[in-house]
Amino acid sequence: GDSVTQMEGPVTLSEEAFLTINCTYTATGYPSLFWYVQYPGEGLQLLLKATKADDKGSNKGFEATYRKETTSFHLEKGSVQVSDSAVYFCALSRMDSSYKLIFGSGTRLLVRP
Amino acid sequence: EADIYQTPRYLVIGTGKKITLECSQTMGHDKMYWYQQDPGMELHLIHYSYGVNSTEKGDLSSESTVSRIRTEHFPLTLESARPSHTSQYLCASTRGRDEKLFFGSGTQLSVL
């Protein structure tokens, strides 16, 4: 079945460091791919998305490119801030059939001043 | 911003009690979902609904039940709470074929 695999956390970085959080997926067909972020004490919110191969999603300095050849959707940011500390979830969509999102296990990011 | 609300925000209750977690959205979304989030942060889909009078079990088996009598309301009920039900419960919704899910802030349930 469809699945999403993320790198384990926590990821601890100093402010202004470069961030990469790896995400790979297994799916039939052509799913859409997403990154959601969960700040402490809150629900998840959409960070960015990509709907087809080679699309790049971007928001708030974060970017991720839909790579069909490597089945990956890695999240990157050039310079992290303390306020980026949160849990990040990679997800794929089966909205073309069962209207469900399948989430990865989440990666906690801690940015130190 | 998303208009999806969950109450209570925190709930501590004794074993054997019946509880209902409330979820309401004011966006007219037809699809609604309940996720259970374990301490390791992983999200498990336990229930979903495609519209009024439509409910389905999710990928993770759960002893909870849901109902969808009104479009905006998707409550989750546990008839007899147990310590194994201690978890964070997140409600979400979306419209039609839109793939973006809007999430509530969650209910942290602790069963003693």
Side-chain angles (χ1 to χ4, degrees):
Chain A
D2 298 343
S3 65
V4 176
T5 302
Q6 288 181 236
M7 65 186 288
E8 286 193 24
V11 174
T12 303
L13 295 173
S14 297
E15 204 164 23
E16 299 184 2
F18 184 85
L19 168 70
T20 299
I21 300 179
N22 290 337
C23 170
T24 57
Y25 68 92
T26 301
T28 55
Y30 302 95
S32 296
L33 301 174
F34 305 82
W35 279 100
Y36 278 78
V37 59
Q38 185 178 29
Y39 297 103
E42 298 183 12
L44 280 71
Q45 54 187 277
L46 180 65
L47 181 60
L48 54 84
K49 64 182 280 189
T51 57
K52 60 183 186 296
D54 300 324
D55 266 3
K56 178 186 283 188
S58 61
N59 186 27
K60 299 181 182 179
F62 290 90
E63 293 183 340
T65 301
Y66 190 145
R67 302 284 189 200
K68 197 171 191 315
E69 64 276 12
T70 54
T71 63
S72 65
F73 193 55
H74 304 322
L75 182 69
E76 297 181 336
K77 186 175 186 183
S79 176
V80 293
Q81 306 300 312
V82 172
S83 57
D84 294 327
S85 298
V87 180
Y88 292 82
F89 291 89
C90 186
L92 68 83
S93 164
R94 299 307 305 171
M95 291 298 181
D96 59 336
S97 56
S98 58
Y99 299 98
K100 291 191 280 187
L101 279 191
I102 297 172
F103 287 91
S105 56
T107 302
R108 185 179 300 277
L109 170 65
L110 177 61
V111 181
R112 300 189 185 282
Chain B
E1 290 299 320
D3 294 315
I4 178 165
Y5 307 101
Q6 290 186 243
T7 57
R9 184 70 183 88
Y10 301 95
L11 179 62
V12 181
I13 201 162
T15 297
K17 299 293 185 183
K18 178 180 178 178
I19 60 167
T20 296
L21 307 185
E22 301 288 349
C23 176
S24 295
Q25 50 92 10
T26 58
M27 298 172 283
H29 287 173
D30 54 339
K31 297 177 180 57
M32 296 188 74
Y33 306 81
W34 276 103
Y35 285 88
Q36 185 174 338
Q37 186 172 29
D38 62 28
M41 303 172 297
E42 193 156 354
L43 290 160
H44 304 282
L45 180 66
I46 52 174
H47 298 284
Y48 59 100
S49 167
Y50 293 160
V52 172
N53 294 325
S54 154
T55 61
E56 302 285 344
K57 289 192 177 296
D59 303 321
L60 178 69
S61 175
S62 174
E63 294 168 348
S64 58
T65 58
V66 293
S67 62
R68 190 87 183 275
I69 299 172
R70 304 197 315 268
T71 297
E72 62 271 22
H73 195 213
F74 191 42
L76 181 147
T77 298
L78 275 166
E79 289 294 332
S80 180
R82 296 207 302 270
S84 61
H85 296 138
T86 294
S87 191
Q88 167 94 311
Y89 292 84
L90 292 171
C91 181
S93 70
T94 191
R95 180 198 302 274
R97 299 185 75 84
D98 189 350
E99 298 168 313
K100 176 180 177 180
L101 288 191
F102 291 88
F103 281 83
S105 297
T107 294
Q108 180 62 52
L109 172 66
S110 296
V111 183
L112 306 178

